Amino acid sequence: DAGVIQSPRHEVTEMGQEVTLRCKPISGHNSLFWYRQTMMRGLELLIYFNNNVPIDDSGMPEDRFSAKMPNASFSTLKIQPSEPRDSAVYFCASTLTGRDNEQFFGPGTRLTVL
Amino acid sequence: AQKITQTQPGMFVQEKEAVTLDCTYDTSDPSYGLFWYKQPSSGEMIFLIYQGSYDQQNATEGRYSLNFQKARKSANLVISASQLGDSAMYFCAMTLTDSWGKLQFGAGTQVVVTP
């Protein structure tokens, strides 16, 4: 089992540039989550999908952030334009919807916006 | 809104000793799940153990056990026989049944295991 796959693992970009983070969930999982981890705010949920449909995007910081899940095996998180305060580790996680099921996290993408 | 509190920012434990990491939660929802994750310095998030709010027995997974005290709203993680590889950040998290998977995390506890 390949686990949750995220790319890139590291991204360094300049302020104002568009950034796209990618995630492939575990095959068969039908819920996908995007988290952001910073020293100041800890781990926070940005958005989650169930059966490819966005269910709750209340954690998305502002309109510069958008997420899509065009099919069951792929999701993107886009930041446009990026700002230095977006620097963080972004995690994607997936699970099979249902009580008692744990989430499996990807390795994360470390984003640095200069 | 639910809330997760981990009051211990960091702790040292000697190898082979047991350590208890505190976690309290606050929710008025009767149905929820509690999780513990480990984050080593390499950064990945590793699932350790799960406890459902209706589970009668405390969860155990190898050297990990969860001391679930529902009336006190606490879900402490106990690591027995600590190993050097247990040095990591540990996060407690909670989800409500009607939004399963929407995890809210505590601030974490940094554990350092010393020889």
Side-chain angles (χ1 to χ4, degrees), chain B residues 86-98:
Chain B
D86 294 334
S87 294
M89 194 76 163
Y90 289 82
F91 292 96
C92 180
M94 179 171 72
T95 186
L96 303 180
T97 298
D98 62 0

Side-chain angles (χ1 to χ4, degrees), chain A residues 9 31 33 35 37 42-45 48 56 58 89 91 95-107, chain B residues 31-33 35 37 39 42-45 47 50 52-55 91 97-106:
Chain A
R9 294 293 307 277
S31 292
F33 306 81
Y35 293 90
Q37 186 177 31
L43 271 157
E44 48 184 350
L45 178 68
Y48 79 96
D56 186 340
S58 59
V89 178
F91 287 102
T95 190
L96 186 60
T97 300
R99 189 177 165 78
D100 301 350
N101 291 330
E102 72 269 25
Q103 283 183 30
F104 293 87
F105 280 72
Chain B
S31 184
Y32 50 87
F35 300 81
Y37 282 84
Q39 187 176 40
S42 51
E44 70 268 34
M45 294 287 289
F47 166 76
Y50 162 80
S53 60
Y54 292 117
D55 294 341
F91 292 96
T97 298
D98 62 0
S99 55
W100 192 262
K102 186 177 176 181
L103 291 176
Q104 181 163 359
F105 284 87

Side-chain angles (χ1 to χ4, degrees), chain B residues 10-28:
Chain B
M11 52 199 310
F12 288 91
V13 60
Q14 203 150 19
E15 201 175 5
K16 300 179 186 176
E17 297 290 311
V19 61
T20 298
L21 308 184
D22 296 339
C23 174
T24 58
Y25 58 93
D26 186 19
T27 181
S28 57

